[in-house]
Amino acid sequence: MHLRPIMGGWPVASSGMDLDSLAPKARQESTVMFRRFGLKLFLVISVLFLAGATGASSDLMTPTGLTVSDILGAETPLSQDLPTPVEVVGVGVGERHWYHHEIRAYLDALAEVSPRVRALGAQGRTHGGRPLTVYAVSSARNIARLDEILAERSGLADPGSRMSLNEVPAVVHLGASVHGDEPSGANAMPLIAWYLAGAQDPAVVSGLDSVVVLLNPVFNPDGLDRFAMQTNSLSGRVPSPDPNDDEHQQAFVTGRTNYYWFDLNRDWLAHQHPESQAVVALFQRWLPNIQLDLHEMGTDTTYFFQPGVPSRTHPLVPDLNQELTRKIAGFFQGEFDRDGTLYFSEERFDDFYMGKASTYADLFGCVGLLCEQASSRGAVQDSVNGRLTFPLTISNQFRMSLAVVRAAVGLRSELLSYQRQSFANGLKAGRERGGWYLATADGDPSRLAEFVRILRGHGIRVDGLAESVEVDGQLFPAGRSIAVPLGQERYPFLESLWERRTNFGEAIFYDISAWTLPLAFNLRHTVEPVAKVRTAELETDAGFTGTRALPDAGLAGYLIDWRDSCSPALLAEILGTGAVVRVATRPFSTSVAGGDRQDFGYGTLFVSGALAEGIPAEARDILTHAAARGLPVYGVTGSGTSEGIDLGSREFKVLRPPKVLLLTGPGISQYEAGEVWHLFDQRIGMTLTMVEWTRLPKVDLDGFTHLILVGGADQLRFLDSGVADRVRSFVENGGVLWAQGRAVEWAITSEIAEGTWRKQGEGGAGNSDGAQRRPFASARDDRALEAVSGAIFSASLDPSHPIGYGFTDDVIPIFRIGTRFLEPSANPYATPLQYSDEPLLAGYISEANLRLLAGSAVIMVEERKAGRIVLSLDAPAFRGFWWGTQRLLVNSVFFGDLLETP
């Protein structure tokens, strides 16, 4: 069976060239029928094959699954020395969904025998323990000197390099399935590698001398395997094409996300997860010229490839980048127009948020390309365009991948010149602006260290501050501050992280509109660069964290500064030993063992012995090791202090170990739930019990101290009265409820909590009172203009409130998604966090919504009989990189008993 004729070799120069002109004329004439009818024929045969048809259909489809010949033609010349996918795995491509280890096994097998393939090894491991393997595919000559090529390519980012571009191959980073339930790209990888490793066409062989392909077969192995397990388990011998079939309907946790339910395609900027850390490190090491990101979209669509909506490109993306994108798109068009495959471009998707793979690449002299294939979400599914099969989706991804490799060969000189010039332009722009950005985290070197790690992960140079500087009344102390020079090659990406953009040419966004990294980390930082500072080399990311030795005798106890982001993990570990831990509800000053007098603020922890017992030896060991790692632990010899409360004061409250239940299940946002799980499991190391809401009526809640309910679809109205009754009873009997996002609306509607919504629709395009007629075609954009899809605002915080413990400033940045706004509580002590009167810091919000948001509540606290309720309209641990606000949730857990409303 043939899907379409073999494509022949690669063009030499431009995308407008007839690719088939490189193939023999006889081959062209013999395959005219397949150009017109190949896809339709393949679609019918695929369905018959997947349905288990016998007789004539089995003669048309070999029992080896989808092969290169099925897509390119039976006469495709491939080396017979290479193993086929079915020979290695035992299952053909497209027969079912392959698992990550099977894809890796086949690529490893090719690397063992083919001189064109080298396994680059595991770049890291996922949270689930799966290796993140990458492979290089090129000509045998290039593979033999791959290390030399890598060293040569470093000159592309060095404007002072005089290296010749004549012998340097272009690099294509070909990655797939960052969303694990978009599996066609990953399942195409065995065929892509098989073809590139075995193609005998002289044009293909010579073309591989001009390009190195980095095959990153599965960006998200944990998610891919989760999805493959479901669909393979629910697909019968005669799979159902009905979209309502269980095979096409995923559970609460979909294959889209990683182990902790994060969308990894939003994590390139912050690279908080091992998958993103590995791929960003690979990208920065190789600096590819083209980055292809293979995705899937809704079943009722066709195929999308970039460019996206032209007016929704980030202003920092060079014009030449978009010009090259359009040239490469010409290769895609030629590929699909040849046999009438439907596609679209310059619609829906944008090139704005720098945290996505296809946009991230654009500021590093690379051309990032997003491709989206309509998804079969299983073996076969009916769509408005006909019956869509899994093999067909794989074949389209295969064809696009080969097209982008041909583009890299044809445009090699332009791509290399563009990359070299991009870094030179970046350095020039940074030097012309000049100076340094400064940042510090008062009392929290751990948070600053993580910020430095992120910057350096992108290749951005970061120095330490050697001499204290005061800027606009803000102190940046030497040894505890960083200085980031603008005069560096990666200045454009640095600027995208630092800028506070509030004006937009077109205010419609596929993702969030603001991600200012110093605000996300709540750092004291300069908005504009400082002209002159003295810097010092910062040897490690944590170069500003010191170590201290604790005395092992004569101590009354230990103080822990709660400002440090590592202190919650330390507290959880100490509470696990049974030690008595108190928290200061008032500030004080005291002398510490072996040091001078120090000031301690709200939330300072005090570890001391019980009345008749000392501090457990295990707790002492934990504290000693923590101090040696640089954590803020101090020994004290007595209870008296020089100022403020004494250590024996009743203003120190004894903490009880929290036992937290996180509600999950259908309709609840897996992203928000995953953020909570990841925060407590990975960063704090604390046990979290997760229960689907359907099982809540059967769960014994005695012993739980906290219940966390995050947002979800339709304002969580799916939570019936039985669940509401259990939640209400839990609170009234002494529990603490944290309701976040849309769960706030559910809590208020269910009369579990109290709250007054601010009136909406004022000045909005959807206001029905006297609304002027608008073009029907603009309705979707009009609605988008009223959305708050992700922006940053300032809010006033009460640091004396338990919710505010550990914060050093009374104004902090908050990330907001959503257009529901709460009036502050009538109780003056019950709104510890409230939006400022002029709150916009970065991002887009309509004028009408800005008026509603100003002065509204961010967090409200309510006592309900013996329990407490915390309403948070925003997600404080958003995408895992909002380190500056995650302690709001942490505080509500550890200090839940203190959440009073006087």
Side-chain angles (χ1 to χ4, degrees):
M1 185 198 79
H2 308 291
L3 172 63
R4 54 173 305 277
I6 189 167
M7 294 174 289
W10 286 303
V12 176
S14 75
S15 59
M17 187 173 183
D18 181 3
L19 304 185
D20 278 343
S21 66
L22 297 179
K25 182 177 180 181
R27 182 181 301 155
Q28 296 180 33
E29 294 174 348
S30 67
T31 55
V32 169
M33 182 191 310
F34 292 111
R35 291 180 181 170
R36 295 182 178 176
F37 306 113
L39 281 176
K40 294 180 180 178
L41 178 63
F42 178 70
L43 180 63
V44 172
I45 293 173
S46 296
V47 172
L48 291 174
F49 172 74
L50 288 166
T54 58
S57 65
S58 62
D59 295 332
L60 296 172
M61 185 72 171
T62 63
T64 57
L66 184 63
T67 68
V68 171
S69 296
D70 292 330
I71 303 173
L72 301 184
E75 69 277 28
T76 304
L78 284 179
S79 170
Q80 299 301 305
D81 296 331
L82 301 180
T84 67
V86 74
E87 288 173 343
V88 174
V89 177
V91 177
V93 173
E95 287 192 76
R96 62 158 169 76
H97 289 249
W98 278 29
Y99 296 99
H100 170 249
H101 72 273
E102 294 173 325
I103 297 171
R104 184 163 45 87
Y106 181 66
L107 297 181
D108 283 340
L110 285 181
E112 286 288 329
V113 299
S114 172
R116 297 185 194 172
V117 183
R118 179 190 291 186
L120 301 182
Q123 310 297 298
R125 286 187 176 270
T126 70
H127 287 298
R130 294 173 174 84
L132 295 157
T133 51
V134 177
Y135 303 81
V137 183
S138 188
S139 65
R141 172 176 171 268
N142 283 341
I143 291 298
R145 68 180 198 97
L146 197 62
D147 295 337
E148 180 183 341
I149 291 173
L150 178 59
E152 289 174 349
R153 287 186 57 82
S154 64
L156 293 170
D158 179 7
S161 172
R162 296 186 178 276
M163 63 172 288
S164 171
L165 300 181
N166 294 333
E167 297 297 323
V168 181
V171 171
V172 174
H173 184 205
L174 213 170
S177 301
V178 70
H179 299 142
D181 59 357
E182 300 174 4
S184 56
N187 280 262
M189 288 293 175
L191 296 182
I192 297 166
W194 185 16
Y195 176 74
L196 293 178
Q200 299 299 295
D201 188 306
V204 176
V205 175
S206 63
L208 286 175
D209 268 334
S210 299
V211 65
V212 172
V213 180
L214 299 178
L215 284 185
N216 211 325
V218 189
F219 281 146
N220 180 8
D222 293 346
L224 182 90
D225 280 1
R226 184 187 303 133
F227 180 72
M229 176 63 72
Q230 173 188 299
T231 190
N232 289 339
S233 299
L234 295 173
S235 179
R237 179 175 177 270
V238 185
S240 172
D242 189 332
N244 296 302
D245 189 83
D246 281 347
E247 182 191 0
H248 308 302
Q249 302 297 319
Q250 297 185 68
F252 158 60
V253 180
T254 68
R256 178 182 178 89
T257 55
N258 77 337
Y259 190 93
Y260 283 98
W261 314 341
F262 280 72
D263 184 340
L264 290 176
N265 197 39
R266 306 297 188 269
D267 191 46
W268 284 59
L269 184 150
H271 52 105
Q272 294 293 291
H273 298 275
E275 301 92 338
S276 308
Q277 291 167 12
V279 74
V280 167
L282 178 81
F283 180 95
Q284 291 297 334
R285 186 163 61 251
W286 277 93
L287 292 174
N289 300 101
I290 299 178
Q291 179 157 287
L292 186 66
D293 189 21
L294 297 176
H295 283 252
E296 292 182 8
M297 54 185 172
T299 304
D300 289 334
T301 53
T302 58
Y303 198 100
F304 167 85
F305 51 78
Q306 283 185 312
V309 181
S311 59
R312 300 175 192 171
T313 300
H314 197 286
L316 290 172
V317 174
D319 291 340
L320 184 53
N321 173 282
Q322 295 299 287
E323 181 181 330
L324 287 168
T325 299
R326 288 188 288 272
K327 285 188 176 182
I328 296 170
F331 287 81
F332 295 158
Q333 289 176 300
E335 176 62 33
F336 276 175
D337 283 346
R338 187 169 292 105
D339 44 26
T341 299
L342 297 178
Y343 59 84
F344 66 97
S345 192
E346 297 191 348
E347 296 178 33
R348 183 180 175 187
F349 300 96
D350 66 19
D351 228 347
F352 191 80
Y353 173 50
M354 291 300 160
K356 297 186 297 183
S358 55
T359 309
Y360 173 85
D362 290 341
L363 292 189
F364 294 98
C366 177
V367 180
L369 296 166
L370 170 68
C371 286
E372 298 263 1
Q373 160 68 45
S375 179
S376 66
R377 283 290 194 275
V380 57
Q381 188 172 170
D382 287 335
S383 77
V384 296
N385 297 309
R387 188 156 289 182
L388 181 62
T389 69
F390 187 42
L392 180 57
T393 68
I394 294 172
S395 69
N396 283 344
Q397 303 286 37
F398 172 87
R399 296 164 65 195
M400 282 295 97
S401 299
L402 295 194
V404 84
V405 174
R406 292 198 303 275
V409 173
L411 302 172
R412 184 191 71 86
S413 295
E414 292 182 61
L415 291 167
L416 291 171
S417 296
Y418 162 67
Q419 188 166 60
R420 168 181 274 180
Q421 193 60 47
S422 292
F423 284 109
N425 290 345
L427 178 61
K428 180 181 178 182
R431 283 177 171 172
E432 286 178 351
R433 191 169 181 205
W436 287 262
Y437 285 131
L438 306 183
T440 188
D442 191 16
D444 192 354
S446 297
R447 180 159 37 104
L448 189 58
E450 173 62 14
F451 183 78
V452 172
R453 184 197 67 79
I454 293 173
L455 294 183
R456 286 182 164 173
H458 300 304
I460 295 171
R461 192 171 85 246
V462 182
D463 297 323
L465 195 61
E467 186 176 275
S468 298
V469 176
E470 186 173 322
V471 181
D472 296 331
Q474 297 187 106
L475 178 65
F476 296 90
R480 290 178 287 160
S481 305
I482 60 170
V484 187
L486 276 65
Q488 53 181 303
E489 292 80 2
R490 288 166 172 79
Y491 166 72
F493 193 74
L494 169 63
E495 187 61 22
S496 77
L497 300 180
W498 217 276
E499 69 174 6
R500 298 187 180 190
R501 189 176 297 273
T502 56
N503 295 314
F504 303 89
E506 183 172 338
I508 299 173
F509 309 92
Y510 184 77
D511 199 71
I512 61 179
S513 66
W515 52 88
T516 310
L517 201 63
L519 293 177
F521 274 72
N522 189 24
L523 299 179
R524 182 185 304 157
H525 65 284
T526 57
V527 178
E528 296 296 328
V530 177
K532 188 175 182 180
V533 295
R534 283 188 57 206
T535 63
E537 183 179 356
L538 194 63
E539 294 184 0
T540 66
D541 295 349
F544 25 74
T545 58
T547 62
R548 63 181 58 84
L550 290 180
D552 56 5
L555 295 179
Y558 302 88
L559 295 172
I560 302 172
D561 192 334
W562 187 247
R563 293 177 299 173
D564 194 283
S565 292
C566 286
S567 293
L570 183 57
L571 173 58
E573 192 174 12
I574 294 170
L575 287 174
T577 69
V580 177
V581 183
R582 296 171 172 83
V583 60
T585 64
R586 299 288 187 275
F588 62 95
S589 299
T590 190
S591 297
V592 298
D596 299 326
R597 193 184 86 162
Q598 287 197 206
D599 297 330
F600 293 92
Y602 297 100
T604 299
L605 304 177
F606 180 41
V607 184
S608 63
L611 289 178
E613 301 175 2
I615 300 172
E618 184 182 357
R620 287 184 183 273
D621 289 342
I622 292 171
L623 291 164
T624 299
H625 288 118
R629 299 197 313 270
L631 298 189
V633 180
Y634 308 89
V636 288
T637 57
S639 297
T641 65
S642 55
E643 187 176 341
I645 59 174
D646 290 328
L647 303 187
S649 169
R650 289 190 299 177
E651 299 300 333
F652 272 93
K653 305 296 184 181
V654 176
L655 299 177
R656 58 171 173 161
K659 185 177 181 183
V660 181
L661 187 150
L662 172 64
L663 217 57
T664 66
I668 287 177
S669 168
Q670 63 178 327
Y671 303 127
E672 291 187 33
E675 289 161 4
V676 174
W677 180 26
H678 176 263
L679 172 61
F680 284 97
D681 188 62
Q682 281 288 310
R683 293 185 181 159
I684 299 178
M686 195 179 91
T687 299
L688 201 70
T689 299
M690 295 185 288
V691 174
E692 287 205 6
W693 63 269
T694 54
R695 295 193 292 113
L696 187 65
K698 300 178 182 180
V699 174
D700 183 3
L701 297 180
D702 289 345
F704 285 101
T705 61
H706 291 71
L707 191 155
I708 296 177
L709 181 56
V710 299
D714 196 26
Q715 292 78 46
L716 300 182
R717 292 194 180 98
F718 54 85
L719 293 178
D720 60 22
S721 59
V723 173
D725 290 342
R726 288 304 310 276
V727 173
R728 186 180 299 106
S729 176
F730 169 78
V731 172
E732 293 177 350
N733 288 326
V736 177
L737 169 67
W738 170 281
Q740 172 182 306
R742 287 183 166 182
V744 172
E745 183 166 350
W746 176 82
I748 293 173
T749 303
S750 302
E751 298 183 345
I752 294 171
E754 295 181 357
T756 302
W757 297 105
R758 291 192 166 183
K759 184 180 179 181
Q760 299 191 64
E762 297 177 4
N767 189 356
S768 61
D769 295 332
Q772 294 182 346
R773 191 176 68 171
R774 297 277 298 160
F776 177 80
S778 69
R780 182 170 60 185
D781 286 352
D782 286 345
R783 287 195 300 271
L785 288 170
E786 289 305 307
V788 183
S789 59
I792 306 172
F793 305 91
S794 66
S796 173
L797 174 71
D798 177 6
S800 74
H801 193 284
I803 287 288
Y805 285 178
F807 288 91
T808 57
D809 296 318
D810 56 9
V811 175
I812 64 172
I814 300 292
F815 187 84
R816 155 55 69 108
I817 293 178
T819 55
R820 292 289 263 164
F821 310 101
L822 273 175
E823 291 286 356
S825 172
N827 185 319
Y829 308 105
T831 310
L833 191 60
Q834 181 177 351
Y835 283 113
S836 306
D837 291 337
E838 296 182 2
L840 181 60
L841 294 175
Y844 171 79
I845 184 173
S846 69
E847 288 295 329
N849 280 328
L850 183 58
R851 289 192 297 269
L852 289 171
L853 178 133
S856 66
V858 182
I859 288 181
M860 293 199 305
V861 178
E862 177 184 342
E863 283 191 81
R864 181 63 62 96
K865 293 188 177 179
R868 316 281 194 271
I869 299 171
V870 183
L871 303 180
S872 174
L873 282 174
D874 305 303
F878 179 71
R879 291 184 179 170
F881 78 92
W882 269 80
W883 280 61
T885 53
Q886 64 186 16
R887 70 168 63 243
L888 296 168
L889 173 55
V890 173
N891 285 349
S892 76
V893 168
F894 284 112
F895 308 139
D897 290 340
L898 308 182
L899 299 177
E900 301 173 350
T901 51

